[in-house]
Amino acid sequence: MKRRIPLSFVLFILLVVYCFSCSAFYLPGLAPVSFCEEKDVPECQTQIQLFVNRLDSVESVLPYEYDVFDFCKDVKETRPSENLGQVLFGERIESSPYKFSFKKDVKCSAVCTKIYKKDVKEDVAKLDFLKMGMQLNYQHHWIIDNMPVTWCYDVEDGQKYCNPGFPIGCLVTADGRAKDACVINSKFNEKNTYYVFNHVSIKITYHSGESEGWKGARLVGATLEPKSIKQTDEKNLNCEDGSPMEVPVVFDSDVSVLYTYSVTFTEDNSIKWASRWDYILVSMPHTNIQWFSIMNSLVIVLFLSGMVAMIMLRTLHKDIARYNQVDQENLIKVPSTRDKSSVTYEDAQEESGWKQVHGDVFRPPRKGMLLSIFLGQGTQIFIMTFITLFLACLGFLSPANRGALMTCAVVLWVLLGTPAGYVSARLYKTFGGEKWKTNVLLTALLCPGIVFADFFLMNLILWVEGSSAAIPFGTLVAILALWFGISVPLTFIGAYFGFKKPAIEQPVRTNQIPRQIPEQSFFTKPIPGIIMGGILPFGCIFIQLFFILNSIWSHQMYYMFGFLFLVFIILLITCSEATILLCYFHLCAEDYHWWWRSFLTSGFTAVYLFIYAVHYFFSKLQIIGAASTILYFGYTMIMVLIFFLFTGTIGFFACFWFVNKIYSVVKVD
């Protein structure tokens, strides 16, 4: 009889053959672009387009679009297609009037002139908004060939720092104190005055490709230096040196701002196109700190692993060996008509210990439906996070592929509704629940509904403030369509298969009458145990958490996904082992209420996350304004809820495996 080859296997082989037969294979959005002086090669481009992104500030959570600040606009403004992640992150990329011809240097070219008349109300509002941006140190973010245009300057210890943004201007206060970028130039000394950076000197570095297998040149670097220069003669521009472009705080006369630029091209064949981001990343030397964090976390993991191993190999092994020995002796002495399980347990019973609660340890918990809903959603988040970080670790979701990380996470969450419904339904049936319709609906709607309601309220604030981070109405409708059109039906499918299967078989029977729990010591009471349980997992992640918060709120580039994936694995192990340890101590104290406690023990790490976020807000950030504060804590609550479900689910299933393991080995009934 011939075996039939599965169709999926044939499709996989065809896909592999197709990929290897292609002349080249690139990750989405990362294909290199070649540039030439003349349009003599079809694969080459002669024009270099500079794109502008939203402007943001470390002193405000509200980003704004480039056009809101009344800068020079492109006559034929175009917007490249944006993925879902870019829209959710509030990126607003558009073309600019800065266009260059490859290898053609430009010296002091005018872009446009902006005139603000004191008697025109619209001009007064535009200039006030521009001054607000300079006061809050709003930063430009320019893009050339999908690469950030950086501002590199010297810092302490002779190191060079490359910032993927540069300020629109700066302020010298009424007491003569230079704020932010005004410290770079001694000419910025006029009190109570704004200085606009109206000139940029751009340097574009390229790899000629002479010794490579491709035609044309490829861009491997783009830096600039912002300057403030007041032009006195528009026909005879001077962009090298001159008095700075001042904007007085009091708008008592008309203001004219002329924007100019210079561009130079430099050949450097030592820089490979694949490593063209390295000069930006090298200026962020966090590797030593990361390894210190990893080593610190590994010490915690080894300590917990030793504790768990001691319990499993020594304490439980001795208890099980002594139990089995008594079991065999009593089976010889008693008549065959006597129930084996009752003799075994009565003769092996001790005054205290985890075996005392064998008849109550699998008693269904209170609020079992809510627990099953949390566990279903936590499973969905866990699988989504694991796959996303794994793909990011492989380089598929690098910073060069803008918005890919968020897009991947959202799509995975939508497609993982089936595991959420299955886990929730299976556990709810194990708990003896009968309201399966309510369980399925709450699994699909409760936690996502809370997140969406919070997100919608934050979006309303962004709409009112006119921020570019406000999600368009069409995108909100698309998100709702993904939720109700794909995620909810998949959750129902998973719940169908979950309820169809029998309940999870428990190794021991549950007594009809609950056993009375003895008086507990301070450390075995629920609240102290839960509070202590989240300390060790948080200790493994708080250094990595600092860099993540920096990337979100301080607008720093995050690229250390290898470290993040390793810390993610360490977090899994730490949450599991810490929960197992505390669960064992509670069972030894004859407290059999472990269902919710196992979930809350590791889930309490999210509370420490919130406390750290509060500390970060008051100690590291310079955010001012009620709207920015509300937005910060609103988005932080979404992070805390997701992290609570994620860590709580890890601890629960680790403890569930542990309890089933020890009671199935002993087989008390």
Side-chain angles (χ1 to χ4, degrees):
M1 182 178 180
K2 295 182 179 181
R3 297 181 60 183
R4 299 181 60 184
I5 301 176
L7 180 60
S8 58
F9 179 77
V10 175
L11 294 176
F12 174 76
I13 296 297
L14 292 175
L15 179 63
V16 171
V17 172
Y18 171 76
C19 290
F20 278 98
S21 63
C22 294
S23 59
F25 175 73
Y26 298 108
L27 299 180
L30 299 181
V33 179
S34 298
F35 294 89
C36 301
E37 291 186 69
E38 298 179 358
K39 196 68 175 178
D40 53 356
V41 181
E43 294 84 4
C44 284
Q45 294 185 13
T46 57
Q47 293 294 319
I48 300 176
Q49 172 68 64
L50 188 148
F51 289 92
V52 293
N53 202 345
R54 64 177 186 175
L55 286 84
D56 51 38
S57 169
V58 295
E59 300 183 23
S60 175
V61 179
L62 302 170
Y64 291 100
E65 289 195 49
Y66 177 83
D67 293 342
V68 176
F69 288 93
D70 194 39
F71 296 125
C72 299
K73 298 181 181 181
D74 189 9
V75 178
K76 298 180 180 180
E77 185 176 281
T78 59
R79 290 180 180 267
S81 59
E82 296 174 342
N83 55 44
L84 180 61
Q86 289 178 287
V87 177
L88 293 178
F89 271 129
E91 292 195 16
R92 297 294 182 267
I93 300 175
E94 60 190 63
S95 61
S96 73
Y98 299 89
K99 297 177 176 66
F100 322 119
S101 296
F102 181 68
K103 293 185 68 174
K104 288 186 178 180
D105 295 350
V106 176
K107 186 177 181 180
C108 201
S109 175
V111 183
C112 73
T113 302
K114 292 293 182 178
I115 300 175
Y116 302 96
K117 297 182 178 181
K118 63 177 183 178
D119 298 328
V120 180
K121 185 178 296 185
E122 184 180 354
D123 290 348
V124 173
K126 289 180 180 179
L127 189 60
D128 287 342
F129 195 82
L130 181 64
K131 290 191 288 187
M132 181 276 296
M134 289 186 283
Q135 182 177 357
L136 296 179
N137 194 28
Y138 269 83
Q139 306 271 321
H140 283 283
H141 293 282
W142 289 3
I143 303 167
I144 289 180
D145 190 28
N146 197 35
M147 181 173 53
V149 183
T150 58
W151 176 33
C152 297
Y153 51 89
D154 295 329
V155 292
E156 297 178 355
D157 301 329
Q159 295 181 352
K160 180 173 288 188
Y161 179 78
C162 292
N163 186 6
F166 67 96
I168 64 177
C170 59
L171 168 66
V172 177
T173 60
D175 56 358
R177 182 172 60 90
K179 288 187 60 180
D180 304 317
C182 279
V183 300
I184 65 175
N185 194 335
S186 59
K187 293 183 179 181
F188 298 160
N189 52 18
E190 191 71 26
K191 295 182 179 179
N192 210 26
T193 303
Y194 294 96
Y195 294 93
V196 182
F197 289 124
N198 60 329
H199 174 79
V200 287
S201 297
I202 304 173
K203 178 184 176 182
I204 299 177
T205 307
Y206 64 91
H207 190 294
S208 64
E210 294 177 356
S211 59
E212 305 292 339
W214 33 266
K215 299 179 181 179
R218 293 178 180 176
L219 306 187
V220 293
T223 59
L224 61 75
E225 181 183 359
K227 296 180 180 180
S228 179
I229 302 175
K230 185 175 183 179
Q231 303 291 346
T232 57
D233 187 2
E234 295 187 7
K235 296 182 180 180
N236 187 18
L237 300 176
N238 176 24
C239 298
E240 296 299 328
D241 195 11
S243 59
M245 181 65 227
E246 300 175 352
V247 177
V249 173
V250 181
F251 191 12
D252 53 3
S253 61
D254 294 347
V255 176
S256 176
V257 181
L258 175 62
Y259 291 92
T260 57
Y261 76 93
S262 300
V263 59
T264 58
F265 289 85
T266 305
E267 180 179 340
D268 189 349
N269 293 334
S270 63
I271 304 176
K272 302 295 183 182
W273 182 87
S275 58
R276 61 179 185 164
W277 286 62
D278 288 359
Y279 77 99
I280 306 174
L281 306 182
V282 168
S283 64
M284 305 175 184
H286 303 317
T287 306
N288 294 334
I289 300 176
Q290 291 291 338
W291 280 118
F292 171 77
S293 171
I294 297 297
M295 296 304 297
N296 175 62
S297 302
L298 287 177
V299 170
I300 297 176
V301 169
L302 291 175
F303 169 75
L304 290 175
S305 300
M307 293 288 290
V308 173
M310 182 181 67
I311 292 175
M312 296 295 291
L313 297 179
R314 295 187 59 185
T315 308
L316 292 181
H317 180 73
K318 289 182 179 180
D319 285 347
I320 293 169
R322 183 169 60 251
Y323 174 84
N324 290 334
Q325 182 180 1
V326 175
D327 183 31
Q328 292 177 0
E329 292 177 357
N330 288 333
L331 284 176
I332 299 175
K333 297 178 182 179
V334 297
S336 58
T337 56
R338 189 175 176 184
D339 181 50
K340 171 182 173 181
S341 60
S342 61
V343 174
T344 301
Y345 177 71
E346 289 176 1
D347 294 337
Q349 187 178 15
E350 298 177 0
E351 295 181 358
S352 62
W354 54 273
K355 295 190 297 294
Q356 292 287 82
V357 294
H358 75 285
D360 298 274
V361 71
F362 290 105
R363 188 177 302 280
R366 297 178 180 177
K367 307 294 182 182
M369 178 182 289
L370 183 61
L371 180 59
S372 64
I373 292 168
F374 284 171
L375 291 171
Q377 283 295 322
T379 303
Q380 188 176 8
I381 294 171
F382 167 73
I383 300 175
M384 175 201 73
T385 307
F386 180 83
I387 298 177
T388 302
L389 291 182
F390 183 72
L391 294 176
C393 188
L394 294 179
F396 286 90
L397 309 178
S398 68
N401 200 356
R402 302 175 183 276
L405 187 71
M406 178 60 75
T407 303
C408 178
V410 173
V411 171
L412 284 174
W413 181 86
V414 169
L415 297 178
L416 289 171
T418 302
Y422 178 83
V423 171
S424 177
R426 193 83 192 278
L427 288 173
Y428 182 62
K429 188 173 183 179
T430 302
F431 296 156
E434 297 178 354
K435 300 178 180 179
W436 62 271
K437 294 181 181 179
T438 306
N439 174 262
V440 176
L441 287 173
L442 290 179
T443 302
L445 303 178
L446 179 61
C447 296
I450 295 174
V451 171
F452 184 82
D454 190 337
F455 182 77
F456 184 75
L457 289 176
M458 298 303 104
N459 204 51
L460 285 179
I461 297 176
L462 293 171
W463 273 339
V464 172
E465 296 291 334
S467 173
S468 65
I471 308 301
F473 180 76
T475 304
L476 288 177
V477 173
I479 293 175
L480 289 174
L482 291 174
W483 180 15
F484 288 99
I486 300 177
S487 180
V488 172
L490 289 177
T491 306
F492 275 74
I493 293 173
Y496 170 77
F497 288 104
F499 281 114
K500 192 176 181 180
K501 283 200 170 187
I504 300 175
E505 184 178 356
Q506 311 294 359
V508 290
R509 289 201 301 265
T510 301
N511 296 333
Q512 294 184 354
I513 302 176
R515 179 186 176 87
Q516 185 176 0
I517 300 175
E519 184 69 21
Q520 300 292 305
S521 64
F522 175 78
F523 294 102
T524 57
K525 289 182 178 180
I527 295 180
I530 291 172
I531 294 175
M532 290 187 296
I535 295 177
L536 291 179
F538 178 77
C540 294
I541 65 167
F542 79 95
I543 294 180
Q544 192 70 226
L545 184 63
F546 171 77
F547 295 113
I548 295 175
L549 292 178
N550 271 347
S551 67
I552 297 174
W553 303 114
S554 296
H555 314 294
Q556 295 184 8
M557 193 173 300
Y558 189 88
Y559 63 96
M560 300 169 289
F561 293 107
F563 284 113
L564 183 59
F565 186 73
L566 185 56
V567 170
F568 172 78
I569 299 300
I570 293 175
L571 177 64
L572 295 183
I573 300 173
T574 308
C575 286
S576 302
E577 293 180 341
T579 308
I580 288 173
L581 278 175
L582 291 174
C583 179
Y584 177 73
F585 293 151
H586 294 143
L587 291 177
C588 288
E590 301 181 26
D591 186 352
Y592 50 84
H593 295 304
W594 63 273
W595 299 96
W596 270 107
R597 188 174 298 177
S598 62
F599 183 86
L600 297 175
T601 297
S602 55
F604 201 80
T605 310
V607 177
Y608 292 106
L609 169 64
F610 177 75
I611 295 173
Y612 184 81
V614 174
H615 165 74
Y616 181 85
F617 177 82
F618 288 104
S619 63
K620 302 296 181 182
L621 296 182
Q622 306 169 3
I623 291 178
I624 56 176
S628 295
T629 303
I630 294 173
L631 287 170
Y632 177 85
F633 286 103
Y635 287 126
T636 298
M637 292 307 299
I638 294 178
M639 294 171 53
V640 168
L641 175 60
I642 293 174
F643 197 72
F644 170 72
L645 296 173
F646 166 69
T647 53
T649 301
I650 296 171
F652 175 87
F653 282 111
C655 194
F656 184 79
W657 168 85
F658 174 75
V659 173
N660 275 271
K661 187 71 174 177
I662 61 175
Y663 285 99
S664 62
V665 172
V666 177
K667 295 180 181 177
V668 288
D669 208 358

